[in-house]
Coordinates of all heavy atoms in Angstrom, one line a residue:
M1227 N -132.8 99.5 -62.0 CA -131.8 98.5 -61.9 C -131.0 98.7 -60.6 O -130.5 99.8 -60.4 CB -130.9 98.4 -63.2 CG -129.9 97.3 -63.1 SD -128.8 97.3 -64.5 CE -127.8 98.6 -64.2
T1228 N -131.0 97.8 -59.8 CA -130.1 97.9 -58.6 C -129.1 96.8 -58.7 O -129.3 95.7 -59.0 CB -131.0 97.7 -57.3 OG1 -131.8 96.6 -57.4 CG2 -131.8 98.9 -57.0
M1229 N -127.9 97.2 -58.3 CA -126.8 96.2 -58.1 C -125.9 96.7 -57.0 O -125.9 97.9 -56.6 CB -126.0 96.2 -59.4 CG -125.4 97.5 -59.8 SD -124.6 97.4 -61.4 CE -124.3 99.1 -61.7
T1230 N -125.4 95.8 -56.4 CA -124.5 96.1 -55.3 C -123.1 96.0 -55.7 O -122.6 95.0 -56.3 CB -124.7 95.0 -54.1 OG1 -126.1 94.9 -54.0 CG2 -124.1 95.5 -52.8
I1231 N -122.5 97.1 -55.6 CA -121.0 97.1 -56.0 C -120.3 96.9 -54.6 O -120.1 97.9 -53.8 CB -120.6 98.5 -56.6 CG1 -121.5 98.7 -57.8 CG2 -119.2 98.5 -57.1 CD1 -121.3 97.7 -59.0
D1232 N -119.8 95.8 -54.4 CA -119.1 95.5 -53.1 C -117.6 95.2 -53.3 O -116.9 95.3 -52.4 CB -119.9 94.4 -52.4 CG -120.0 93.2 -53.2 OD1 -119.6 93.1 -54.4 OD2 -120.7 92.2 -52.8
T1233 N -117.2 94.9 -54.5 CA -115.8 94.7 -54.7 C -115.2 95.6 -55.7 O -115.9 96.2 -56.6 CB -115.5 93.3 -55.1 OG1 -116.1 93.1 -56.5 CG2 -116.0 92.2 -54.2
L1234 N -113.9 95.8 -55.7 CA -113.2 96.6 -56.6 C -113.4 96.2 -58.1 O -113.7 96.9 -59.0 CB -111.7 96.7 -56.3 CG -110.8 97.6 -57.1 CD1 -111.3 99.1 -57.1 CD2 -109.4 97.5 -56.6
G1235 N -113.4 94.9 -58.3 CA -113.6 94.3 -59.6 C -114.9 94.7 -60.3 O -115.0 95.0 -61.4
K1236 N -115.9 94.6 -59.5 CA -117.3 95.1 -59.9 C -117.3 96.5 -60.3 O -117.9 96.9 -61.3 CB -118.4 94.8 -58.9 CG -118.7 93.4 -58.8 CD -119.9 93.2 -57.9 CE -120.1 91.8 -57.4 NZ -121.1 91.6 -56.4
A1237 N -116.7 97.4 -59.6 CA -116.6 98.8 -59.9 C -115.9 99.0 -61.1 O -116.2 99.9 -62.0 CB -115.9 99.6 -58.7
V1238 N -114.8 98.3 -61.3 CA -114.0 98.4 -62.7 C -114.9 98.0 -63.8 O -114.9 98.7 -64.8 CB -112.8 97.5 -62.6 CG1 -112.1 97.5 -63.9 CG2 -111.8 98.0 -61.5
R1239 N -115.7 96.9 -63.6 CA -116.4 96.5 -64.8 C -117.5 97.4 -65.2 O -117.9 97.5 -66.3 CB -117.1 95.0 -64.3 CG -117.3 94.1 -65.5 CD -117.7 92.7 -65.1 NE -116.9 92.1 -64.0 CZ -117.4 91.6 -63.0 NH1 -118.7 91.4 -62.9 NH2 -116.6 91.2 -62.0
H1240 N -118.0 98.1 -64.2 CA -119.0 99.1 -64.5 C -118.4 100.4 -64.8 O -119.2 101.5 -64.8 CB -120.0 99.1 -63.4 CG -120.9 97.8 -63.3 ND1 -121.9 97.5 -64.2 CD2 -120.7 96.8 -62.4 CE1 -122.3 96.3 -63.9 NE2 -121.6 95.9 -62.9
K1241 N -117.1 100.6 -64.8 CA -116.4 101.9 -65.1 C -116.8 102.9 -64.1 O -117.3 104.0 -64.4 CB -116.7 102.3 -66.5 CG -116.1 101.4 -67.6 CD -116.3 102.1 -69.0 CE -115.6 101.3 -70.0 NZ -115.9 99.9 -70.1
M1242 N -116.7 102.6 -62.9 CA -117.2 103.5 -61.8 C -116.0 104.2 -61.2 O -114.8 103.9 -61.3 CB -118.0 102.7 -60.8 CG -119.3 102.2 -61.4 SD -120.2 101.2 -60.2 CE -121.3 102.5 -59.6
L1243 N -116.4 105.2 -60.4 CA -115.5 105.9 -59.5 C -115.5 105.3 -58.1 O -116.7 104.8 -57.8 CB -115.8 107.4 -59.4 CG -115.7 108.2 -60.7 CD1 -116.3 109.6 -60.4 CD2 -114.2 108.4 -61.1
V1244 N -114.5 105.3 -57.5 CA -114.5 105.0 -56.0 C -114.3 106.3 -55.3 O -113.5 107.0 -55.4 CB -113.4 104.0 -55.7 CG1 -113.4 103.6 -54.2 CG2 -113.6 102.7 -56.5
V1245 N -115.3 106.6 -54.4 CA -115.3 107.7 -53.6 C -115.0 107.4 -52.2 O -115.7 106.6 -51.6 CB -116.7 108.4 -53.7 CG1 -116.6 109.8 -53.0 CG2 -117.0 108.7 -55.1
A1246 N -114.0 108.0 -51.7 CA -113.7 107.8 -50.2 C -114.0 109.1 -49.5 O -113.5 110.2 -49.8 CB -112.2 107.5 -50.0
Q1247 N -114.9 109.0 -48.5 CA -115.3 110.2 -47.8 C -114.9 110.0 -46.3 O -115.2 109.1 -45.6 CB -116.7 110.5 -47.8 CG -117.1 111.8 -47.1 CD -118.5 112.1 -47.2 OE1 -119.4 111.2 -47.0 NE2 -118.9 113.4 -47.3
C1248 N -114.1 110.9 -45.8 CA -113.6 110.9 -44.5 C -114.7 111.1 -43.4 O -115.4 112.0 -43.6 CB -112.5 112.0 -44.2 SG -111.9 112.2 -42.6
R1249 N -114.7 110.2 -42.5 CA -115.8 110.4 -41.5 C -115.5 111.4 -40.5 O -116.3 111.8 -39.8 CB -116.0 109.0 -40.7 CG -116.6 108.0 -41.5 CD -117.2 106.8 -40.6 NE -118.0 105.9 -41.4 CZ -117.6 104.8 -41.9 NH1 -116.4 104.4 -41.8 NH2 -118.5 104.0 -42.6
G1250 N -114.1 111.9 -40.4 CA -113.8 112.9 -39.5 C -114.1 114.3 -40.0 O -114.8 115.0 -39.4
C1251 N -113.6 114.6 -41.3 CA -113.8 116.0 -41.7 C -114.7 116.1 -42.9 O -115.1 117.2 -43.4 CB -112.5 116.6 -42.0 SG -111.7 115.9 -43.4
G1252 N -115.2 114.9 -43.5 CA -116.1 115.0 -44.6 C -115.4 115.3 -46.0 O -116.1 115.3 -47.0
R1253 N -114.2 115.3 -46.0 CA -113.5 115.5 -47.2 C -113.7 114.2 -48.1 O -113.5 113.2 -47.7 CB -112.0 115.7 -46.8 CG -111.1 116.3 -47.9 CD -109.7 116.3 -47.5 NE -108.9 116.7 -48.6 CZ -108.6 117.9 -49.0 NH1 -109.1 118.9 -48.4 NH2 -107.9 118.1 -50.1
E1254 N -113.7 114.5 -49.4 CA -113.9 113.5 -50.3 C -112.7 113.3 -51.3 O -112.2 114.4 -51.7 CB -115.1 113.6 -51.2 CG -116.4 113.1 -50.6 CD -117.5 113.2 -51.6 OE1 -117.3 113.6 -52.8 OE2 -118.6 112.9 -51.2
A1255 N -112.4 112.1 -51.7 CA -111.4 111.9 -52.7 C -112.0 110.9 -53.7 O -112.7 109.9 -53.3 CB -110.1 111.3 -52.1
R1256 N -111.8 111.1 -54.9 CA -112.3 110.2 -56.0 C -111.2 109.5 -56.7 O -110.2 110.2 -57.0 CB -113.2 111.0 -57.0 CG -114.5 111.4 -56.4 CD -114.9 112.7 -57.2 NE -115.7 113.5 -56.3 CZ -117.1 113.4 -56.3 NH1 -117.7 112.5 -57.1 NH2 -117.8 114.2 -55.5
F1257 N -111.4 108.3 -57.0 CA -110.4 107.5 -57.8 C -111.1 106.8 -58.9 O -112.4 106.4 -58.8 CB -109.7 106.5 -56.9 CG -109.0 107.1 -55.7 CD1 -109.7 107.3 -54.6 CD2 -107.7 107.3 -55.8 CE1 -109.1 107.8 -53.4 CE2 -107.0 107.9 -54.7 CZ -107.6 108.1 -53.5
L1258 N -110.5 106.6 -60.0 CA -111.0 105.7 -61.0 C -110.8 104.3 -60.5 O -109.6 103.9 -60.1 CB -110.3 105.8 -62.4 CG -110.5 107.2 -63.0 CD1 -109.6 107.2 -64.3 CD2 -111.9 107.4 -63.4
A1259 N -111.8 103.5 -60.5 CA -111.8 102.1 -60.0 C -110.7 101.3 -60.8 O -109.9 100.6 -60.2 CB -113.0 101.4 -60.1
S1260 N -110.5 101.7 -62.0 CA -109.4 100.9 -62.8 C -108.1 101.3 -62.5 O -107.2 100.5 -62.6 CB -109.7 101.2 -64.4 OG -109.7 102.6 -64.6
D1261 N -107.9 102.5 -62.0 CA -106.6 102.9 -61.4 C -106.2 102.1 -60.2 O -105.2 101.5 -60.0 CB -106.5 104.3 -61.1 CG -106.3 105.3 -62.2 OD1 -106.0 104.7 -63.3 OD2 -106.3 106.5 -62.1
L1262 N -107.2 102.0 -59.3 CA -107.0 101.3 -58.0 C -106.8 99.8 -58.2 O -106.0 99.2 -57.5 CB -108.2 101.5 -57.2 CG -108.5 102.9 -56.6 CD1 -109.8 102.9 -55.9 CD2 -107.4 103.3 -55.8
A1263 N -107.4 99.2 -59.3 CA -107.2 97.9 -59.7 C -105.8 97.5 -60.0 O -105.4 96.2 -60.0 CB -108.2 97.4 -60.7
Q1264 N -105.0 98.4 -60.3 CA -103.6 98.2 -60.6 C -102.8 97.9 -59.4 O -101.7 97.4 -59.4 CB -102.9 99.3 -61.4 CG -103.6 99.5 -62.8 CD -103.1 100.7 -63.4 OE1 -101.8 101.1 -63.3 NE2 -103.9 101.4 -64.2
F1265 N -103.4 98.3 -58.2 CA -102.7 98.2 -57.0 C -103.3 97.1 -56.0 O -102.6 96.6 -55.2 CB -102.5 99.5 -56.3 CG -101.7 100.6 -57.1 CD1 -102.4 101.4 -57.9 CD2 -100.4 100.5 -57.0 CE1 -101.7 102.4 -58.6 CE2 -99.6 101.4 -57.7 CZ -100.3 102.4 -58.5
Y1266 N -104.6 97.1 -56.2 CA -105.3 96.2 -55.3 C -106.0 95.1 -56.0 O -106.4 95.2 -57.1 CB -106.4 97.0 -54.5 CG -105.7 98.2 -53.7 CD1 -106.1 99.4 -54.0 CD2 -104.9 97.9 -52.7 CE1 -105.5 100.5 -53.3 CE2 -104.3 98.9 -52.0 CZ -104.6 100.3 -52.2 OH -104.1 101.3 -51.6
N1267 N -106.1 94.0 -55.3 CA -106.8 92.8 -55.8 C -108.3 93.2 -56.2 O -109.0 93.7 -55.4 CB -106.8 91.7 -54.8 CG -107.2 90.3 -55.3 OD1 -108.3 90.3 -56.0 ND2 -106.6 89.3 -54.9
P1268 N -108.7 92.8 -57.4 CA -110.1 93.2 -57.8 C -111.2 92.5 -56.9 O -112.3 92.9 -56.9 CB -110.2 92.7 -59.3 CG -108.9 92.5 -59.7 CD -108.0 92.3 -58.5
G1269 N -110.8 91.4 -56.3 CA -111.7 90.7 -55.4 C -111.8 91.4 -54.0 O -112.7 91.0 -53.2
R1270 N -111.1 92.4 -53.8 CA -111.0 93.0 -52.6 C -112.3 93.9 -52.4 O -112.8 94.5 -53.3 CB -109.8 94.0 -52.5 CG -109.5 94.5 -51.2 CD -108.1 94.8 -51.1 NE -107.9 95.3 -49.8 CZ -106.7 95.7 -49.3 NH1 -105.6 95.5 -50.0 NH2 -106.6 96.1 -48.1
S1271 N -112.9 93.9 -51.2 CA -114.1 94.6 -50.9 C -113.8 96.1 -50.9 O -112.7 96.5 -50.4 CB -114.8 94.2 -49.8 OG -114.2 94.6 -48.6
L1272 N -114.6 96.9 -51.4 CA -114.4 98.4 -51.5 C -114.1 99.0 -50.1 O -113.3 99.8 -49.8 CB -115.6 99.1 -52.1 CG -115.7 99.0 -53.6 CD1 -117.0 99.7 -54.1 CD2 -114.5 99.6 -54.3
S1273 N -115.0 98.5 -49.1 CA -114.8 99.1 -47.8 C -113.6 98.7 -47.1 O -113.2 99.3 -46.1 CB -116.1 98.6 -46.9 OG -116.2 97.2 -47.0
G1274 N -112.8 97.7 -47.8 CA -111.6 97.3 -47.1 C -110.4 98.0 -47.6 O -109.3 97.7 -47.2
L1275 N -110.5 98.9 -48.5 CA -109.5 99.6 -49.2 C -108.9 100.6 -48.1 O -109.6 101.2 -47.5 CB -109.9 100.3 -50.4 CG -110.3 99.4 -51.5 CD1 -110.9 100.3 -52.7 CD2 -109.1 98.6 -52.1
P1276 N -107.6 100.6 -48.1 CA -106.9 101.4 -47.0 C -106.7 102.9 -47.3 O -105.6 103.4 -47.5 CB -105.5 100.6 -46.9 CG -105.2 100.2 -48.3 CD -106.6 99.8 -48.9
F1277 N -107.8 103.6 -47.4 CA -107.8 104.9 -47.6 C -107.5 105.7 -46.3 O -107.9 105.4 -45.2 CB -109.0 105.5 -48.3 CG -109.2 105.1 -49.7 CD1 -110.3 104.4 -50.1 CD2 -108.2 105.3 -50.6 CE1 -110.5 104.0 -51.4 CE2 -108.3 104.9 -51.9 CZ -109.5 104.3 -52.3
K1278 N -106.8 106.8 -46.5 CA -106.5 107.6 -45.3 C -106.7 109.1 -45.7 O -106.2 109.5 -46.7 CB -105.0 107.4 -44.9 CG -104.8 107.8 -43.5 CD -103.4 107.2 -43.1 CE -103.2 107.2 -41.5 NZ -102.0 106.7 -41.2
C1279 N -107.2 109.8 -44.9 CA -107.5 111.2 -45.1 C -106.2 112.0 -44.9 O -105.5 111.9 -44.0 CB -108.6 111.8 -44.1 SG -108.9 113.5 -44.3
R1280 N -106.0 112.9 -46.0 CA -104.8 113.7 -46.0 C -104.9 114.8 -44.9 O -103.9 115.3 -44.5 CB -104.6 114.3 -47.3 CG -104.2 113.3 -48.4 CD -103.6 114.0 -49.6 NE -104.3 115.3 -49.9 CZ -103.9 116.3 -50.5 NH1 -102.7 116.3 -51.0 NH2 -104.6 117.4 -50.7
E1281 N -106.0 115.2 -44.7 CA -106.2 116.3 -43.7 C -106.1 115.9 -42.3 O -105.3 116.5 -41.6 CB -107.6 117.0 -44.0 CG -107.8 117.6 -45.3 CD -106.8 118.8 -45.6 OE1 -106.6 119.6 -44.7 OE2 -106.1 118.7 -46.7
C1282 N -106.8 115.0 -41.8 CA -106.8 114.7 -40.4 C -106.2 113.4 -40.2 O -106.1 112.9 -39.0 CB -108.2 114.7 -39.9 SG -109.5 113.8 -40.7
N1283 N -105.6 112.7 -41.2 CA -104.8 111.6 -41.1 C -105.6 110.4 -40.4 O -105.0 109.6 -39.7 CB -103.5 111.9 -40.2 CG -102.4 111.0 -40.6 OD1 -102.3 110.5 -41.7 ND2 -101.5 110.8 -39.6
L1284 N -106.9 110.4 -40.6 CA -107.8 109.4 -40.1 C -107.9 108.3 -41.1 O -108.2 108.6 -42.3 CB -109.0 110.1 -39.8 CG -109.9 109.4 -38.7 CD1 -109.4 109.7 -37.3 CD2 -111.3 110.1 -38.8
G1285 N -107.8 107.1 -40.8 CA -108.0 106.0 -41.7 C -109.5 105.5 -41.7 O -109.8 104.5 -42.2
D1286 N -110.4 106.4 -41.3 CA -111.8 106.0 -41.2 C -112.6 106.6 -42.2 O -113.0 107.8 -42.2 CB -112.3 106.3 -39.8 CG -113.7 105.8 -39.6 OD1 -114.2 104.9 -40.4 OD2 -114.4 106.2 -38.6
C1287 N -112.7 106.0 -43.4 CA -113.4 106.5 -44.6 C -114.6 105.7 -45.0 O -114.6 104.5 -44.9 CB -112.5 106.6 -45.7 SG -111.0 107.8 -45.6
R1288 N -115.6 106.4 -45.4 CA -116.7 105.7 -46.0 C -116.5 105.6 -47.5 O -116.2 106.6 -48.1 CB -118.0 106.6 -45.7 CG -119.3 105.8 -45.9 CD -120.5 106.8 -45.6 NE -120.6 107.8 -46.5 CZ -121.1 107.8 -47.7 NH1 -121.8 106.7 -48.1 NH2 -121.2 108.8 -48.6
I1289 N -116.4 104.4 -47.9 CA -116.1 104.2 -49.4 C -117.3 103.7 -50.1 O -117.9 102.7 -49.7 CB -114.9 103.2 -49.4 CG1 -113.7 103.8 -48.6 CG2 -114.5 102.9 -50.8 CD1 -112.6 102.7 -48.3
S1290 N -117.5 104.3 -51.2 CA -118.7 103.9 -52.1 C -118.2 104.0 -53.5 O -117.3 104.7 -53.9 CB -119.8 104.7 -51.8 OG -119.5 106.1 -52.0
A1291 N -119.0 103.3 -54.4 CA -118.8 103.4 -55.8 C -119.8 104.3 -56.4 O -121.0 104.4 -55.9 CB -118.9 102.0 -56.4
S1292 N -119.3 105.0 -57.3 CA -120.2 106.1 -57.9 C -120.1 106.0 -59.4 O -119.0 105.8 -59.9 CB -119.9 107.5 -57.3 OG -120.1 108.5 -58.2
E1293 N -121.2 106.2 -60.2 CA -121.1 106.2 -61.6 C -120.5 107.6 -62.0 O -120.9 108.6 -61.3 CB -122.4 106.0 -62.2 CG -122.9 104.6 -62.0 CD -124.2 104.3 -62.7 OE1 -124.2 104.4 -63.9 OE2 -125.2 104.1 -62.1
Y1294 N -119.8 107.6 -63.1 CA -119.5 108.9 -63.6 C -120.1 109.1 -65.0 O -120.0 108.2 -65.8 CB -118.0 109.2 -63.5 CG -117.0 108.4 -64.3 CD1 -116.6 108.9 -65.6 CD2 -116.6 107.3 -63.8 CE1 -115.7 108.2 -66.3 CE2 -115.7 106.5 -64.6 CZ -115.2 107.1 -65.8 OH -114.3 106.3 -66.5
L1295 N -120.6 110.3 -65.2 CA -121.3 110.5 -66.4 C -120.3 110.9 -67.4 O -119.3 111.6 -67.2 CB -122.2 111.8 -66.2 CG -123.2 111.6 -65.0 CD1 -123.9 112.9 -64.7 CD2 -124.3 110.5 -65.4
N1296 N -120.5 110.3 -68.6 CA -119.6 110.6 -69.7 C -119.9 111.9 -70.4 O -120.4 112.0 -71.5 CB -119.6 109.4 -70.7 CG -118.2 109.1 -71.2 OD1 -117.3 109.9 -70.9 ND2 -118.1 108.0 -71.8
D1297 N -119.8 112.9 -69.5 CA -120.2 114.2 -70.0 C -119.1 115.2 -69.9 O -118.6 115.5 -68.8 CB -121.3 114.7 -69.0 CG -121.9 116.0 -69.2 OD1 -121.3 116.8 -70.1 OD2 -122.8 116.5 -68.6
R1298 N -118.6 115.8 -71.0 CA -117.4 116.6 -71.1 C -117.6 117.9 -70.5 O -116.6 118.6 -70.4 CB -117.0 116.6 -72.5 CG -116.3 115.4 -73.0 CD -116.1 115.3 -74.5 NE -116.0 113.9 -75.0 CZ -114.8 113.3 -75.0 NH1 -113.8 113.9 -74.6 NH2 -114.7 112.1 -75.4
T1299 N -118.8 118.3 -70.3 CA -119.1 119.6 -69.8 C -118.9 119.7 -68.3 O -118.8 120.6 -67.6 CB -120.5 120.1 -70.1 OG1 -121.4 119.3 -69.4 CG2 -120.7 120.2 -71.6
R1300 N -118.9 118.4 -67.6 CA -118.8 118.4 -66.2 C -117.5 117.7 -65.8 O -117.4 116.5 -66.0 CB -120.1 117.6 -65.7 CG -120.4 117.9 -64.2 CD -121.7 117.3 -63.9 NE -121.7 116.9 -62.5 CZ -121.4 115.7 -62.1 NH1 -121.2 114.8 -63.0 NH2 -121.4 115.4 -60.8
E1301 N -116.6 118.5 -65.4 CA -115.3 117.9 -65.1 C -115.2 117.6 -63.6 O -115.6 118.4 -62.8 CB -114.2 118.8 -65.5 CG -114.1 119.0 -66.9 CD -113.0 119.9 -67.4 OE1 -111.8 119.6 -66.9 OE2 -113.2 120.8 -68.0
I1302 N -114.6 116.6 -63.3 CA -114.2 116.3 -61.9 C -112.8 115.9 -61.8 O -112.2 115.6 -62.8 CB -115.1 115.0 -61.3 CG1 -114.8 113.8 -62.1 CG2 -116.6 115.3 -61.3 CD1 -115.1 112.5 -61.4
I1303 N -112.3 116.1 -60.6 CA -110.9 115.8 -60.4 C -110.8 114.4 -59.8 O -111.5 114.1 -58.7 CB -110.3 116.8 -59.5 CG1 -110.2 118.1 -60.3 CG2 -108.9 116.4 -59.1 CD1 -109.7 119.3 -59.5
V1304 N -110.0 113.5 -60.3 CA -109.7 112.3 -59.6 C -108.2 112.2 -59.2 O -107.4 112.9 -59.8 CB -110.0 111.1 -60.6 CG1 -111.6 110.9 -60.8 CG2 -109.2 111.1 -61.7
W1305 N -108.0 111.4 -58.1 CA -106.7 111.2 -57.7 C -106.1 109.9 -58.3 O -106.9 109.1 -58.5 CB -106.6 111.0 -56.2 CG -107.1 112.3 -55.5 CD1 -108.4 112.6 -55.2 CD2 -106.3 113.4 -55.0 NE1 -108.5 113.9 -54.6 CE2 -107.2 114.3 -54.5 CE3 -105.0 113.6 -55.0 CZ2 -106.7 115.5 -53.9 CZ3 -104.5 114.8 -54.5 CH2 -105.4 115.8 -54.0
R1306 N -104.9 110.0 -58.6 CA -104.2 108.7 -59.1 C -103.3 108.2 -58.0 O -102.6 108.8 -57.5 CB -103.4 109.0 -60.4 CG -104.1 109.6 -61.5 CD -103.7 108.9 -62.8 NE -104.7 108.0 -63.3 CZ -105.1 108.3 -64.6 NH1 -104.6 109.1 -65.4 NH2 -106.1 107.4 -65.1
P1307 N -103.5 106.8 -57.8 CA -102.7 106.2 -56.8 C -101.3 106.0 -57.3 O -101.1 105.6 -58.5 CB -103.4 105.0 -56.5 CG -104.2 104.6 -57.8 CD -104.5 105.9 -58.4
V1308 N -100.4 106.2 -56.5 CA -98.9 106.0 -56.9 C -98.3 105.2 -55.7 O -98.6 105.4 -54.6 CB -98.2 107.3 -57.0 CG1 -96.7 107.1 -57.2 CG2 -98.8 108.2 -58.0
K1309 N -97.6 104.2 -56.2 CA -96.9 103.4 -55.2 C -95.6 103.9 -54.8 O -94.7 104.2 -55.6 CB -96.8 101.9 -55.7 CG -96.5 100.9 -54.6 CD -96.6 99.6 -55.2 CE -97.8 98.8 -54.8 NZ -97.8 97.4 -55.3
V1310 N -95.4 104.1 -53.5 CA -94.1 104.6 -53.0 C -93.5 103.6 -52.0 O -94.2 102.8 -51.4 CB -94.1 106.0 -52.3 CG1 -94.5 107.0 -53.4 CG2 -95.1 106.0 -51.2
K1311 N -92.2 103.6 -51.9 CA -91.6 102.7 -51.0 C -91.5 103.4 -49.6 O -91.1 104.6 -49.5 CB -90.2 102.4 -51.4 CG -90.2 101.3 -52.5 CD -88.9 100.5 -52.5 CE -89.0 99.4 -53.4 NZ -88.2 99.6 -54.6
Q1312 N -91.8 102.7 -48.6 CA -91.8 103.3 -47.3 C -90.7 102.6 -46.6 O -90.5 101.5 -46.5 CB -93.2 103.0 -46.6 CG -93.7 104.1 -45.7 CD -95.1 103.9 -45.3 OE1 -95.5 102.8 -45.2 NE2 -95.7 105.0 -44.9
S1313 N -89.9 103.5 -46.0 CA -88.8 102.9 -45.2 C -89.0 102.8 -43.7 O -89.0 103.9 -43.1 CB -87.5 103.8 -45.5 OG -87.8 105.2 -45.2
N1314 N -89.4 101.8 -43.3 CA -89.5 101.4 -41.9 C -89.3 100.1 -41.6 O -89.3 99.2 -42.3 CB -90.8 102.0 -41.3 CG -92.0 101.4 -42.1 OD1 -91.9 100.5 -42.9 ND2 -93.2 101.9 -41.6
Ligands
LIG822 ZN1 -110.4 113.9 -42.7

C-alpha cells in the first residue's frame, strides 16, 4: 500500500510522526502529528511547516511523515510544541 502523506491532517489521521531533519547538520526532531495539529492548520502541507534547527538555527529542514510502531519495547523521544509569545 502506498499513500502520500502530504498534509498534516493526513499524518494525524494515520497516527504518524512528523520527522524534521536539518539539512545543515542532519539532526532530527520528531513530533506527534496530532500535537502539531493543535497549532497548525491540518490542511497545511508538511513541507511548509516552519521548523528550525536548534543547533545551527537553520530553517531548512527535510520534513517527512513516519509511522510509529505501537511497540512498548522501543521507545522514542518526541518533542512537544509549545506556543510562546515573542516580543518584537
Ligand atoms: Zn542543524
Side-chain angles (χ1 to χ4, degrees):
M1227 183 179 74
T1228 48
M1229 59 185 170
T1230 313
I1231 306 295
D1232 49 3
T1233 63
L1234 184 56
K1236 283 189 197 171
V1238 172
R1239 211 170 313 136
H1240 295 283
K1241 297 185 168 53
M1242 294 178 96
L1243 293 170
V1244 175
V1245 184
Q1247 186 183 36
C1248 173
R1249 286 197 171 96
C1251 66
R1253 195 183 169 85
E1254 270 188 8
R1256 291 153 205 269
F1257 300 86
L1258 295 177
S1260 53
D1261 278 353
L1262 295 173
Q1264 294 174 37
F1265 297 96
Y1266 302 115
N1267 188 321
R1270 195 154 177 175
S1271 75
L1272 285 178
S1273 55
L1275 294 173
F1277 288 128
K1278 200 170 199 180
C1279 178
R1280 292 195 320 158
E1281 294 299 311
C1282 49
N1283 210 27
L1284 202 74
D1286 189 11
C1287 293
R1288 197 176 64 87
I1289 299 165
S1290 54
S1292 146
E1293 291 186 63
Y1294 65 99
L1295 305 168
N1296 221 348
D1297 176 354
R1298 285 166 200 275
T1299 62
R1300 206 171 145 259
E1301 294 183 52
I1302 58 159
I1303 291 172
V1304 295
W1305 296 88
R1306 297 222 114 126
V1308 177
K1309 196 173 253 182
V1310 292
K1311 283 208 171 102
Q1312 215 167 26
S1313 53
N1314 55 6

